[in-house]
Amino acid sequence: MNNSGPAPARTRGRPRGNPPTRESIVTAARDLFLRSGYRRTTLRAVAGAAGVDPALIAYHFGSKKGLFADVMQFQCANALAVDDVLGGDPATLPDRLIDAVTDLWENADFVRLSARGEEAAEVIREYLEHELLARLVEFLGGRDATARATAAVTVLGGLVYTRYLNPLPTHAALTPSEARRVLTPALRAALSPRPRSAPATGTARRD
């Protein structure tokens, strides 16, 4: 007589990823991208450094471009730590947002990674839109949260583009503290609640 219980049902689809394995791959890839550059870094080399089968990289990230995107997302998440930025005094939120962006882009390792060009710019756009924008909307709340968050991310995106990706000489020449002084009023205005429009009054004029 077989007293063993029924075998557990198999779930459909791919099994969930193992976070430590994923993190070890991202860490190994980051080091290799910094040391050897994007083109000379192979998935086999990353797998060897992480101590995993190369097939796991394809499973978790799809391609070298997908792996690079995760490395860049990791860098963004570390520098633009949204919980830390949003967790302080609301009055100084614009200053913290600008400092977080400039700290990220003044970091030598991030500059070397972002030299990859279009792939790096694409990841940064996705991070600003899908991570920072969503968290700002949640943080601000209210009827105009999306408009305010969108305006704020537009200011920050302009900072990234005109200072780092396609620098304007006058903007690139500013120190981070000067950039904060110049842009904080615009960012504060972007984050401010929108006044409710007054309802139309009176009757239409007849000719």
Side-chain angles (χ1 to χ4, degrees):
M1 181 176 177
N2 186 355
N3 293 325
S4 60
R10 292 186 178 183
T11 57
R12 299 184 64 183
R14 298 191 306 179
R16 294 182 179 179
N18 184 338
T21 298
R22 188 182 181 92
E23 290 168 10
S24 67
I25 294 171
V26 169
T27 300
R30 176 185 177 277
D31 293 343
L32 284 171
F33 284 138
L34 286 171
R35 188 187 320 146
S36 305
Y38 180 87
R39 292 188 182 279
R40 289 186 292 171
T41 296
T42 66
L43 295 185
R44 187 171 295 278
V46 173
V52 300
D53 189 295
L56 275 177
I57 298 180
Y59 171 80
H60 285 299
F61 306 98
S63 64
K64 184 164 77 168
K65 183 178 179 181
L67 175 58
F68 179 77
D70 263 58
V71 171
M72 290 292 291
Q73 290 274 10
F74 176 78
Q75 289 290 110
C76 288
N78 275 356
L80 298 175
V82 179
D83 289 336
D84 294 339
V85 172
L86 298 182
D89 183 355
T92 56
L93 175 59
D95 304 80
R96 293 195 304 278
L97 284 167
I98 292 173
D99 283 346
V101 171
T102 55
D103 286 350
L104 172 65
W105 281 92
E106 304 291 332
N107 178 276
D109 286 350
F110 187 78
V111 170
R112 289 166 63 191
L113 287 171
S114 64
R116 178 57 193 156
E118 183 57 32
E119 284 88 348
E122 182 179 342
V123 172
I124 294 159
R125 284 195 298 268
E126 288 180 357
Y127 188 86
L128 289 174
E129 180 178 358
H130 298 298
E131 176 67 17
L132 185 57
L133 177 62
R135 293 296 302 278
L136 273 175
V137 170
E138 180 184 1
F139 173 79
L140 294 171
R143 60 180 178 80
D144 58 359
T146 299
R148 293 160 65 194
T150 300
V153 170
T154 300
V155 173
L156 295 173
L159 165 64
V160 169
Y161 185 79
T162 60
R163 183 174 172 83
Y164 301 106
L165 291 179
N166 190 23
L168 299 176
T170 51
H171 195 177
L174 298 175
T175 65
S177 61
E178 289 170 337
R180 186 201 318 129
R181 177 176 54 80
V182 168
L183 289 176
T184 292
L187 189 54
R188 180 169 288 114
L191 289 166
S192 297
R194 305 294 191 264
R196 287 184 177 274
S197 57
T201 57
T203 59
R205 179 180 175 180
R206 295 181 179 178
D207 293 330

